[in-house]
Amino acid sequence: MQKRQLGRDGLVVSAAGLGCMAMSGMYGPSDRAESIATIHSALDAGVNLLDTGDFYGMGHNELLLSEALRERSRSDVVLSVKFGALRSPDGAWLGYDARPAAVKNFLYHSLTRLNTDYIDIYRPSRLDPNVPIEETIGAIAEMVEKGYVRHIGLSEVGVETIRRAAAVHSIVDLQIEYSLMSRGIEAEILPACRELGIGITAYGVLSRGLLSGAWSKERVLAGSDFRAHGPRFTGENLDHNLSLVATLQTIADAKGASIAQIASAWVVAQGADIIPLFGARRLHQLHDSLASLEINLNADELGTIERTIPKGSAAGERYNAYLMQHLDSER
């Protein structure tokens, strides 16, 4: 497994990370034993960056990680944790809380569930519109000084917020969606991060399954799967997006790879400062994703992919209207 430096703080991580959200019901039911086996396999393959959120299953994901890491050396793992999302017992999203007192409260719960003394990267999951970003980052910086947090990250915020946060404390990375179908960061956000020495941890590299090559119009989603309400997965939008995906088949065949591997390899090819988070919850998904790290796309192939799925060609927003309004990165 190749290693890369994330940001300017000297943090070294694997060339890809494991996103653990799908292991806690966000994409429908998951299997505990399979999830733990996937985490173990990722670690055995050299993946050291594990990404979670305290609201993934409202603590379930952190407890799952704690169980999976019980026999592992803590120093071999880089734990990235998002906080701040509020949910009701029926699973509805209620907004975000990034007040300084809330930061410390969320952190205490995460440290307890993860059974660890520190978190490597701690980040607000979204910008809280009621709290200046300086106050949120300042509170995390206090936790860095006390040793509870090693590095500070951001998630789904725009350039102004990134600059204001970086003025308070060094920021190691921005976690944000980036794929062939979601390229909004390229115009302003990515250049700003590169100027400031902030890495990118890219989630949704397969556009939540659309770029997997295995999606179909007939697929029935569980009620707990938030993609069931995603604009890109419904009606004519889905028809259009699947037609885009189908055009990658020729490229994949020529490389002896899957469509998913080509889509992942494209993200990897965008720069050494971009670390893809593979959202695998099953062993075969993990192995397929890791194989993409061995695929080198040359300039001609990258040009063909660009012409096949040009920027802005996907139909539908990334999230439904309610969730989109919380994306500072889209403003």
Side-chain angles (χ1 to χ4, degrees):
M1 174 62 65
Q2 297 177 1
K3 302 292 184 181
R4 294 181 178 178
Q5 181 168 313
L6 191 61
R8 291 176 177 169
D9 289 352
L11 179 61
V12 176
V13 300
S14 47
L18 178 64
C20 300
M21 182 182 78
M23 299 176 182
S24 294
M26 301 292 284
Y27 288 164
S30 59
D31 181 85
R32 170 186 160 280
E34 181 80 3
S35 296
I36 291 176
T38 301
I39 294 169
H40 287 169
S41 185
L43 294 171
D44 291 341
V47 174
N48 71 342
L49 177 61
L50 303 180
D51 182 76
T52 184
D54 62 10
F55 52 93
Y56 293 169
M58 298 313 286
H60 174 274
N61 204 245
E62 291 178 322
L63 291 170
L64 182 75
L65 276 172
S66 177
E67 181 179 356
L69 298 176
R70 192 169 295 155
E71 304 301 324
R72 302 282 177 155
S73 172
R74 177 65 182 87
S75 61
D76 292 339
V77 180
V78 176
L79 288 175
S80 167
V81 179
K82 293 181 291 297
F83 71 89
L86 306 175
R87 301 181 71 184
S88 67
D90 63 1
W93 298 95
L94 302 176
Y96 299 88
D97 188 353
R99 295 170 299 155
V103 170
K104 297 168 186 178
N105 180 72
F106 287 133
L107 176 58
Y108 183 28
H109 282 295
S110 287
L111 290 169
T112 301
R113 286 189 292 256
L114 288 165
N115 191 30
T116 184
D117 296 327
Y118 67 93
I119 289 172
D120 297 278
I121 311 174
Y122 201 52
R123 72 184 82 243
S125 58
R126 296 289 186 270
L127 177 68
D128 183 341
N130 300 312
V131 180
I133 190 63
E134 290 85 353
E135 293 185 13
T136 302
I137 299 303
I140 305 175
E142 288 182 39
M143 299 298 97
V144 172
E145 292 177 3
K146 294 183 177 181
Y148 296 120
V149 172
R150 296 285 175 86
H151 304 276
I152 302 178
L154 295 170
S155 176
E156 287 289 357
V157 292
V159 172
E160 180 185 354
T161 302
I162 294 168
R163 293 190 183 281
R164 288 169 56 191
V168 176
H169 190 279
S170 62
I171 304 298
V172 71
D173 74 320
L174 170 69
Q175 189 173 120
I176 196 164
E177 185 171 356
Y178 189 43
S179 73
L180 276 167
M181 287 189 169
S182 299
R183 298 174 59 182
I185 72 171
E186 293 178 348
E188 297 180 356
I189 292 176
L190 182 56
C193 285
R194 286 175 168 165
E195 173 195 335
L196 296 168
I198 297 172
I200 298 290
T201 43
Y203 74 89
V205 295
L206 296 183
S207 200
R208 297 180 178 80
L210 275 177
L211 288 163
S212 67
W215 204 274
S216 71
K217 291 174 57 177
E218 292 72 32
R219 183 166 179 173
V220 177
L221 297 174
S224 59
D225 190 328
F226 82 95
R227 292 174 295 187
H229 309 288
R232 292 184 176 176
F233 291 85
T234 58
E236 293 181 355
N237 287 348
L238 179 60
D239 293 338
H240 172 81
N241 292 330
L242 289 179
S243 70
L244 290 177
V245 175
T247 62
L248 290 175
Q249 190 64 63
T250 300
I251 300 170
D253 290 343
K255 296 292 285 187
S258 67
I259 288 177
Q261 289 170 339
I262 294 299
S264 297
W266 180 88
V267 173
V268 173
Q270 302 312 302
D273 55 348
I274 299 175
I275 310 297
L277 296 173
F278 295 138
R281 56 175 167 167
R282 299 185 180 92
L283 285 168
H284 74 87
Q285 294 171 329
L286 173 69
H287 296 157
D288 192 62
S289 294
L290 292 180
S292 68
L293 298 176
E294 305 302 320
I295 297 174
N296 295 312
L297 298 170
N298 61 39
D300 289 341
E301 291 164 338
L302 289 169
T304 300
I305 293 171
E306 178 71 28
R307 291 188 295 273
T308 299
I309 305 184
K311 182 178 179 179
S313 59
E317 299 284 5
R318 294 199 279 141
Y319 295 95
N320 62 34
Y322 174 77
L323 295 177
M324 283 296 294
Q325 70 180 350
H326 292 287
L327 293 180
D328 182 63
S329 56
E330 293 286 345
R331 294 174 186 158

